[in-house]
Amino acid sequence: MFNINNILRENIKRLVPYSSARDEYQGEASVFLDANENAFGSPLEQSYNRYPDPLQIEVKKRLSGIKGVPIRNIFLGNGSDEAIDILYRSFCNPGVDNVILVPPTYGMYQVSANINDVAIRNVPLTADFQLNLEGIAEAIDKHTKMIFVCSPNNPTGNSINRADVETLLANFEGLVVVDEAYINFSRQRSFIQELTEYGNLVVLQTLSKAWGLAGLRVGMAFASEEIIEVMNKVKPPYNINEASQQLALQALANIEQVNAWIKETLIQRDKLVLGLKNFEFVEDIYPSDANFILVKTADPKGIYNYLVQQGIIVRDRSKVELCAGCLRVTIGTPAENEILLNTLQDYK
C-alpha cells in the first residue's frame, strides 16, 4: 500500500514553505503596499509590476474544465522540467536514493537525477520499445523512489503498453511518473483518468507541444492532493510569471484551433512517412503516436550534416541506446515537410 510518508524526505516533511505577500490575505484589495513592488506600473504597454498569482488559480480553473481534474490535483511548473526537478528534491535523498529510467527516453530525467545526486538504474526498453517488467522488478530496492515512463515515448514515438504501466502502479511502493508530453497526438487515453485509483501516480503534461506554447514554459503535473501539496510547498513562490499565465489563459480558450492542428499534424505525419519510404537510405520508420517520427537510416551522421548545410535541422539520435542509425524528425507544416523531402532527393 502506497504511503507518501514512507518516501518523502524528512527535511521536506519539516519544511515551512516561503509565505509570499499574496498568500497572507484573503478577499479583494485595491491598494497593495505589501510586496515592495513598483506602484507606478511598468515601462510597457501592459503592466507587470505586480507579482503573479503564486498558485495560478485562474489557469488551473481553465485546465480543470478541459482535463476533468479538480484544481487541487493540478500543479503548474516552469515547463515539465521544473516538475521533474521538484519530484527529485521532494522524494529522493541525495547520495542515498535511486530512480529507475527506461532508455531510450527523455534526457532530463537523467540530468535532473545527476543534479540532485540521485543514483540512476537503467532498465532498457525491449527491442519493440516496451517495458522490461522483469528487469524493472529486479532493479527495485528499498531506496528506489521513482520510476519514469514516457508515453508516447521520446525519442521512439510509441505508446507504452497500458497494462504494463498499471502493473508498476499496483506493485511499486514509490512514485510512477508517466510523462504524457505527446498524449494529444496519441489514440491512447491519458492516465489522468486513473488518479483516484493510484495514489502513487504522477502524470506530466505540457502546453509546449500540441498547444504550441513552448516559449511560455508552462508544464503540468497531475497527482493526488497530498503529492500536489508537497510540490507547491517546494516550488519557488512565483514560478509561473504573469505574462505566461495570461497568455496561457488566452490559448486555453481556443481548443478548436489546437484540435485542428493536431488533426493536420497526423495527416502530415502519414504523408511524410510515405515520402521518406521512397529513399533507399531509409531502412525503417518506427510507428509513432507523437508529432515526430524515428527514422533508421544507413548514414545518420552524413544525412544530418547534409541537412544542416541546407538549413534543415533534425535530431541525430544514432548514439542513443536502441536507436543506432536513427534520426528523429519533427512533423512540420506541409511546406516544411515538402522542403525536407525535396532536399533529400539530392542527397548522395
Side-chain angles (χ1 to χ4, degrees):
M1 181 68 70
F2 174 74
N3 184 336
I4 192 172
N5 289 313
N6 291 339
I7 66 168
L8 193 61
R9 286 172 56 174
E10 289 299 322
N11 64 306
I12 301 300
K13 291 179 184 177
R14 300 189 300 269
L15 178 66
V16 177
Y18 177 80
S19 179
S20 73
R22 297 298 180 258
D23 290 324
E24 295 176 353
Y25 74 92
Q26 293 181 344
E28 299 295 324
S30 57
V31 178
F32 294 96
L33 304 177
D34 58 333
N36 303 334
E37 300 152 328
N38 182 338
F40 297 99
S42 307
L44 299 167
E45 189 171 323
Q46 182 171 343
S47 286
Y48 294 103
N49 59 316
R50 301 300 181 185
Y51 285 107
D53 177 2
L55 292 177
Q56 312 95 29
I57 295 301
E58 292 304 315
V59 180
K60 289 178 181 177
K61 284 180 181 177
R62 189 72 55 83
L63 284 169
S64 177
I66 294 171
K67 304 290 185 180
V69 177
I71 292 174
R72 63 180 179 274
N73 298 113
I74 304 173
F75 170 86
L76 294 186
N78 184 6
S80 297
D81 295 340
E82 183 179 38
I84 292 167
D85 181 65
I86 286 175
L87 289 170
Y88 275 104
R89 289 192 284 134
S90 300
F91 295 99
C92 297
N93 291 287
V96 176
D97 292 327
N98 65 76
V99 298
I100 292 177
L101 306 184
V102 290
T105 191
Y106 180 45
M108 277 306 296
Y109 311 143
Q110 178 171 331
V111 172
S112 236
N114 292 338
I115 290 171
N116 288 284
D117 192 20
V118 176
I120 297 167
R121 297 190 172 182
N122 284 318
V123 182
L125 297 175
T126 61
D128 58 349
F129 303 138
Q130 293 297 329
L131 298 178
N132 176 359
L133 290 179
E134 290 186 7
I136 292 173
E138 292 174 359
I140 294 171
D141 67 12
K142 65 179 182 179
H143 294 297
T144 306
K145 293 295 186 70
M146 295 189 289
I147 302 172
F148 284 88
V149 178
C150 189
S151 182
N153 189 41
N154 178 12
T156 60
N158 64 293
S159 294
I160 302 299
N161 289 334
R162 191 177 192 85
D164 290 348
V165 179
E166 291 173 343
T167 296
L168 295 181
L169 287 163
N171 294 280
F172 179 53
E173 295 182 359
L175 297 183
V176 178
V177 184
V178 182
D179 189 342
E180 295 183 341
Y182 302 95
I183 193 66
N184 299 89
F185 306 101
S186 173
R187 297 185 189 91
Q188 190 177 77
R189 73 182 190 275
S190 170
F191 264 94
I192 286 177
Q193 301 174 25
E194 314 298 334
L195 286 178
T196 56
E197 187 170 345
Y198 299 106
N200 59 336
L201 171 62
V202 179
V203 178
L204 302 179
Q205 292 187 6
T206 182
L207 297 183
S208 294
K209 308 302 182 183
W211 286 90
L213 301 179
L216 296 188
R217 310 307 302 127
V218 181
M220 300 165 278
F222 304 89
S224 68
E225 186 173 359
E226 58 182 358
I227 292 174
I228 297 300
E229 286 178 352
V230 169
M231 296 180 74
N232 282 331
K233 186 164 69 169
V234 174
K235 79 173 184 67
Y238 303 113
N239 61 324
I240 307 292
N241 66 72
E242 181 65 19
S244 289
Q245 290 190 43
Q246 292 301 321
L247 291 170
L249 277 171
Q250 293 177 37
L252 290 169
N254 203 351
I255 298 176
E256 293 80 7
Q257 176 64 79
V258 174
N259 286 337
W261 280 333
I262 292 170
K263 291 178 181 177
E264 182 62 24
T265 297
L266 300 184
I267 292 170
Q268 292 302 317
R269 186 179 69 192
D270 291 342
K271 289 183 177 179
L272 186 58
V273 168
L274 288 174
L276 289 170
K277 284 182 176 179
N278 293 323
F279 298 111
E280 291 184 0
F281 51 77
V282 171
E283 298 178 349
D284 200 0
I285 301 174
Y286 297 98
S288 175
D289 282 334
N291 68 333
F292 61 85
I293 51 177
L294 189 68
V295 183
K296 187 172 184 179
T297 71
D299 183 19
K301 197 66 177 176
I303 296 169
Y304 174 82
N305 289 334
Y306 167 72
L307 290 174
V308 168
Q309 292 169 5
Q310 308 304 314
I312 300 172
I313 311 300
V314 297
R315 195 81 190 271
D316 183 0
R317 301 280 77 187
S318 60
K319 302 299 183 185
V320 175
E321 192 164 3
L322 297 180
C323 295
C326 289
L327 299 173
R328 194 192 69 190
V329 182
T330 303
I331 310 304
T333 64
E336 289 171 332
N337 297 334
E338 192 66 26
I339 290 171
L340 172 64
L341 293 173
N342 289 338
T343 302
L344 287 173
Q345 294 281 359
D346 297 325
Y347 174 71
K348 307 297 183 185

